[in-house]
Structure formats: structure tokens, C-alpha cells
Amino acid sequence: ELPDGIRFTYKAKDGEEQYPGNLTVTATYRWSDNNELTLDFHAETDADTVVNMTNHAYWNLDGADALSSTAPSTVLPGCHPSTTQQWS
């Protein structure tokens, strides 16, 4: 329990998404007395593996009524489709 925030934990088992090793990831959000929001990531694994953590949060600082479902939006289509590779 964090008095100034919240911590989320995810545990991926060895072989999940075909990645080696057991992986434990935490994301901790904290709010300071200076009105600063911080996000800290931490990862631990028991094997060599790829870990790439990121955040794509969107914060509406204009308030709940600032955007609506009728507000104009912009769509940026990709130039090329993404490809995936099957690892054996």
C-alpha cells in the first residue's frame, strides 16, 4: 500500500508471448505534495530476455467536459503495414 500513489504488478510466466524467463513488472504512480505525478517502471527476470516498457497515457487537463464524442478528431493512417516475425 502506498499512501501517495498506486502500484500495479504483472507477472509473465516463462514462454509467455514466446519470451524466455519469468518476468515481474511493476508500474508505480505517485503524486507529490508539489503536484508532481511520477511514473516509475521496474522489471526483474530470471533469464536473458527483452523488456521494453513504455507509457501511452493521455491526460485531459482541461476537465471532463472539454472533450466529447462529437469533438473533431484527427486520424493519421500509417504509411506501411506492420509486420510480425514468428520465432522458432
Side-chain angles (χ1 to χ4, degrees):
E1 184 174 317
L2 297 174
D4 60 347
I6 188 167
R7 177 174 293 131
F8 299 98
T9 302
Y10 180 75
K11 295 182 179 184
K13 294 184 184 224
D14 181 32
E16 182 176 322
E17 298 288 331
Q18 301 180 359
Y19 289 104
N22 295 297
L23 174 69
T24 302
V25 177
T26 61
T28 305
Y29 290 84
R30 289 196 171 147
W31 194 260
S32 76
D33 291 335
N34 295 326
N35 290 326
E36 297 170 327
L37 179 64
T38 59
L39 170 57
D40 294 309
F41 290 117
H42 180 79
E44 291 184 14
T45 183
D46 58 4
D48 290 340
T49 190
V50 176
V51 177
N52 183 11
M53 296 182 288
T54 187
N55 176 35
H56 297 284
Y58 172 78
W59 306 100
N60 177 5
L61 301 179
D62 289 329
D65 296 329
L67 296 176
S68 70
S69 61
T70 60
S73 63
T74 302
V75 176
L76 301 174
C79 298
H80 305 285
S82 296
T83 59
T84 59
Q85 180 176 357
Q86 182 70 31
W87 296 97
S88 56

